[in-house]
Amino acid sequence: MALQRLACFGDSLFAGYGLPAARALPARLEALLRADGRELRALNLGISGETSADGLRRLDDVLANSPRATLLEFGANDCHQLVPPEETEGNLAAMATGLRRAGSAVLLVGVRALPWVDETYGREFQALFPRLSARLGLPLYPDILEPYFGDPALTLPDGLHPNALGVEAMTASLLPWVEALLDGPA
């Protein structure tokens, strides 16, 4: 029997910016799931710097991996570049719909607005994740930044990306959500 595939599809937060591949979130998540007796392969399909539009352009490449489940994590770079929230939402909706149509269960991974954006944009940006979750009936992990952001002991010197300890905090926080996704229907 082939191993189930878990696609970790997103940006630098999944790619493991500044870290060895073995310390990136997909590798750490796979290790924890395997330690729990699950036979699966977590695919690192994160690319640093990507926006949701970039992710949408490579959706077919992700689908070619036939993932049983997908963690869909885009938005931080959209926010950084002040991409209109409705555009980000549309891109995420198209990706989630394509993934589900191909038989992959999807966990939408939200991200808070970055602290330097203006309040109006930040409010509109943050609202897109729960709205999309409700509209498409997707489970929503509310904020991928929550487990580490703002803690210098958990971030790289840039203050934005998690260090190895930050990735461990993110992985531990995501784990129950991923287990629920894997245990549910595709």
Side-chain angles (χ1 to χ4, degrees), residues 13-92:
L13 298 172
F14 280 3
Y17 176 84
L19 300 172
R23 292 291 187 189
L25 188 140
R28 300 306 307 136
L29 196 53
E30 180 178 311
L32 288 177
L33 290 164
R34 284 179 169 250
D36 198 33
R38 295 178 186 264
E39 291 296 318
L40 66 78
R41 169 78 205 235
L43 306 172
N44 188 336
L45 301 171
I47 296 181
S48 294
E50 281 204 338
T51 64
S52 62
D54 297 318
L56 183 56
R57 280 191 285 278
R58 64 185 179 96
L59 178 61
D60 288 341
D61 294 335
V62 173
L63 294 174
N65 289 288
S66 302
R68 155 70 179 86
T70 303
L71 308 183
L72 181 59
E73 177 273 315
F74 286 96
N77 293 311
D78 293 63
C79 185
H80 179 66
Q81 295 177 25
L82 300 178
V83 171
E86 61 274 8
E87 184 178 322
T88 302
E89 185 173 351
N91 292 334
L92 287 167

Side-chain angles (χ1 to χ4, degrees), residues 97-142:
T97 300
L99 288 159
R100 288 168 98 184
R101 195 174 293 134
S104 184
V106 177
L107 173 63
L108 181 61
V109 178
V111 62
R112 74 176 74 166
L114 299 172
W116 52 84
V117 301
D118 76 56
E119 188 176 322
T120 301
Y121 179 89
R123 205 173 28 254
E124 291 172 6
F125 177 81
Q126 284 185 197
L128 79 87
F129 294 99
R131 183 174 54 241
L132 182 60
S133 169
R135 182 165 55 101
L136 296 182
L138 295 172
L140 171 63
Y141 178 81

